[in-house]
Amino acid sequence: MTMTETDARPPADVRAAIDEGRTALGIELGSTRIKAVLTGPDHAAIAVGSHDWENQFVDRVWTYSLEAVWEGLQGCFAALAAEVRSRYGTELRSVGALGVSAMMHGYLAFDAEGELLTPFRTWRNTNTGDASEQLSELFGHNIPHRWSIAHLYQAVLDGEEHVGRLAHLTTLAGYVHWKLSGRQVLGVGDASGVFPIDVTTGGYDARMLAQFDELAAGRVPVKLAGLLPAVLPAGEAAGTLTEAGARLLDPSGTLQPGAVLCPPEGDAGTGMVATNSIARRTGNISAGTSIFAMIVLDGPLSRTHPEIDLVTTPAGDLVAMVHCNNGASELNSWAGLFTEFATALGVSASSGQIFETLFRSALTGAADGGGLMAFNYLSGEPITKLHEGRPLFLREPGSALTLGSFMRTQLYSALATLRIGMDVLQKAESVQLDSMFAHGGLFKTEGVAQKLLAAAINTPVSVGDLAGEGGAWGIAVLAGFVTARQPGQSLADFLTTSVFAGAQLDTAEPEPEDVAGFNAFMQRYVAALPVEQAAVEHS
């Protein structure tokens, strides 16, 4: 049974599992939506709830308020509980296990009384360039702009007053977990976006901790290890849902405390779980507001690359991450424009129909985009060394402006920065992949973005019934792993034998014409990067 086949089971059996607490609840705070998934004993989804939200750009910082966090979590849980009530005729009074996931990285800083010292700084901010550069050189290890340690050291460099009152810092998932359980911990995957992990010990790298303490002596009030959350691997219990935590999720008082919590994870790690991409030489690409690839490595890379982040799976294995700040948001904006045009013509079409039509038209476009060019940069993009973004569309005077070539160009643009990073892995490091799985909203239209991605990375790309509910389901699986794990069982074995047995995949092979077309597009894309830079500098 796959996780989406909920209707195949008798409602009475599902209701019994709910009433007896033989369930796992996963909640993920994504960039545009907070989602909750309740799973049964077989790890299949039995109910879903969600709440839409959006970041704000305040004082040139991308942020979410903590009030919005809890309003969204409560709305999400209420929607989930309502679906349980509607479908199964019972109340969601308890769950056996619970997990929290959220967008990785960023900076949430608190004082000794637990008060937030500065607004939440999300992964999307790229104002940490000086810190990123200095720490990368000091450690001999790439420190991306969005990592928590880069945010902390940038605050030190900028002389921010709050640093002197800092008692602990964490990620968004770590913050929510702390409030639900009382424990300041992180899953190793999420922790690897806070500070470099030593994969031999499973904890923060001791050498680099000491280097940072020496660098920041007299400017940070305590040693760094005292500021960071504890690190736990998948499968370890990370506390229980407290009474106060239960009320934060469900102010109605229906949800009872006591659920076992798994270590909180980042959305990259839950995406790996949701696509069964935990084993070495496997990988996945997630495309939403951002787009990123996660490749589980056989061993360390030969040298540091600024385009590649080294993080870990939730089990602690080394992962090469190619993270692009800009994904499908600009595509969504163009779809909105075409929807508005259809409405002006008096044509009624759903957003799904609009996307389907636009994406399918891309298959009719010129293989190289036909002389059209686009940049999807709503925010800065570190891989191409741009601290801010300006969405652009431009074309050569002799090019044919057709819908097919326009949409192919927009889709190519969403994949172009990812290709730059993948070239480092595949060409400079000769990283080998046995499988690549793609998931996210970009791949909902069957056979379009999947086909173009296969061309972009010249690798077969699979999609399928693995990740229909995404990272929220992935963190529910990790929660279930805590309670269902057999002695000595690895996460990879648990996924293969207990969760994904019989899963169906559709694989697209790269087609030579598309590969050649994307390569030609990339030559023009790199050549046109100064145009994007000029737009940032002059607008």
Side-chain angles (χ1 to χ4, degrees), residues 234-498:
E236 295 289 329
T240 58
L241 180 65
T242 65
E243 176 66 34
R247 296 293 70 77
L248 279 171
L249 273 183
D250 179 25
S252 75
T254 303
L255 180 66
Q256 298 303 299
V260 176
L261 270 75
C262 69
E265 268 298 346
D267 53 357
T270 58
M272 300 183 83
V273 172
T275 58
N276 196 18
S277 303
I278 292 294
R280 295 183 180 186
R281 294 171 62 100
T282 66
N284 80 94
I285 290 175
S286 174
T289 303
S290 63
I291 183 168
F292 54 86
M294 304 284 286
I295 314 299
V296 189
L297 299 174
D298 275 328
L301 300 180
S302 64
R303 63 182 180 87
T304 299
H305 299 277
E307 302 89 351
I308 307 300
D309 309 347
L310 291 177
V311 293
T312 77
T313 70
D317 290 317
L318 189 64
V319 172
M321 182 180 191
V322 180
H323 185 282
C324 312
N325 279 3
N326 298 280
S329 295
E330 182 65 359
L331 278 166
N332 293 339
S333 297
W334 282 109
L337 178 67
F338 283 111
T339 301
E340 185 178 346
F341 178 69
T343 301
L345 288 176
V347 176
S348 177
S350 68
S351 61
Q353 290 173 310
I354 294 289
F355 274 104
E356 176 87 14
T357 301
L358 291 175
F359 273 46
R360 295 236 169 267
S361 73
L363 299 180
T364 70
D368 66 348
L372 311 184
M373 182 52 57
F375 290 92
N376 66 332
Y377 293 175
L378 285 165
S379 62
E381 193 58 77
I383 287 180
T384 49
K385 298 179 175 58
L386 286 158
H387 68 280
E388 291 186 13
R390 300 291 186 272
L392 288 181
F393 172 71
L394 55 155
R395 66 190 184 98
E396 298 169 358
S399 60
L401 184 56
T402 67
L403 181 62
S405 291
F406 175 82
M407 285 307 302
R408 182 174 284 240
T409 296
Q410 293 296 332
L411 284 163
Y412 276 0
S413 174
L415 302 173
T417 311
L418 181 75
R419 161 64 181 270
I420 293 172
M422 289 297 294
D423 275 350
V424 173
L425 289 177
Q426 294 177 299
K427 296 179 180 179
E429 290 285 348
S430 300
V431 169
Q432 300 298 311
L433 279 170
D434 292 334
S435 63
M436 178 65 81
F437 188 89
H439 64 111
L442 197 66
F443 304 100
K444 285 186 176 180
T445 301
E446 183 178 347
V448 179
Q450 177 190 9
K451 169 185 167 72
L452 300 184
L453 175 59
I457 63 175
N458 198 19
T459 300
V461 173
S462 298
V463 299
D465 60 2
L466 301 190
E469 303 298 351
W473 179 70
I475 192 66
V477 169
L478 286 173
F481 182 47
V482 174
T483 56
R485 181 185 191 185
Q486 299 299 311
Q489 187 179 32
S490 70
L491 177 59
D493 178 66
F494 173 75
L495 295 177
T496 299
T497 61
S498 300

Side-chain angles (χ1 to χ4, degrees), residues 48-233:
V48 178
S50 66
H51 175 90
D52 292 336
W53 72 336
E54 188 55 78
N55 55 193
Q56 293 82 44
F57 193 53
V58 180
D59 296 328
R60 304 192 71 78
V61 171
W62 292 104
T63 188
Y64 301 83
S65 70
L66 297 190
E67 292 78 12
V69 169
W70 294 109
E71 177 185 347
L73 284 168
Q74 290 168 6
C76 178
F77 182 84
L80 176 78
E83 179 164 310
V84 168
R85 191 180 307 116
S86 173
R87 294 186 66 177
Y88 307 111
T90 191
E91 295 292 334
L92 185 56
R93 297 181 178 88
S94 66
V95 295
L98 193 156
V100 177
S101 172
M103 59 192 89
M104 290 180 72
H105 317 118
Y107 183 69
L108 279 157
F110 298 89
D111 65 16
E113 285 71 47
E115 294 298 317
L116 186 67
L117 292 170
T118 185
F120 172 34
R121 297 169 184 179
T122 79
W123 60 270
R124 200 170 190 176
N125 291 289
T126 54
N127 61 326
T128 56
D130 290 342
S132 173
E133 182 177 344
Q134 292 181 34
L135 292 177
S136 296
E137 182 176 357
L138 176 68
F139 296 154
H141 184 104
N142 186 35
I143 303 297
H145 291 66
R146 63 190 181 281
W147 278 23
S148 304
I149 190 61
H151 283 281
L152 169 60
Y153 191 54
Q154 191 65 49
V156 171
L157 292 176
D158 293 342
E160 293 193 36
E161 178 273 338
H162 83 268
V163 173
R165 297 184 286 126
L166 185 61
H168 74 272
L169 62 92
T170 190
T171 65
L172 181 56
Y175 163 71
V176 174
H177 182 98
W178 169 39
K179 291 301 181 181
L180 295 183
S181 69
R183 293 192 60 183
Q184 293 178 15
V185 300
L186 286 179
V188 63
D190 203 16
S192 67
V194 172
F195 193 85
I197 295 292
D198 180 347
V199 295
T200 63
T201 67
Y204 300 116
D205 188 288
R207 174 183 65 85
M208 297 180 196
L209 285 173
Q211 288 177 311
F212 184 88
D213 287 337
E214 183 177 354
L215 177 68
R219 296 183 288 176
V220 176
V222 297
K223 290 188 180 298
L224 183 59
L227 297 177
L228 302 180
V231 182
L232 292 175

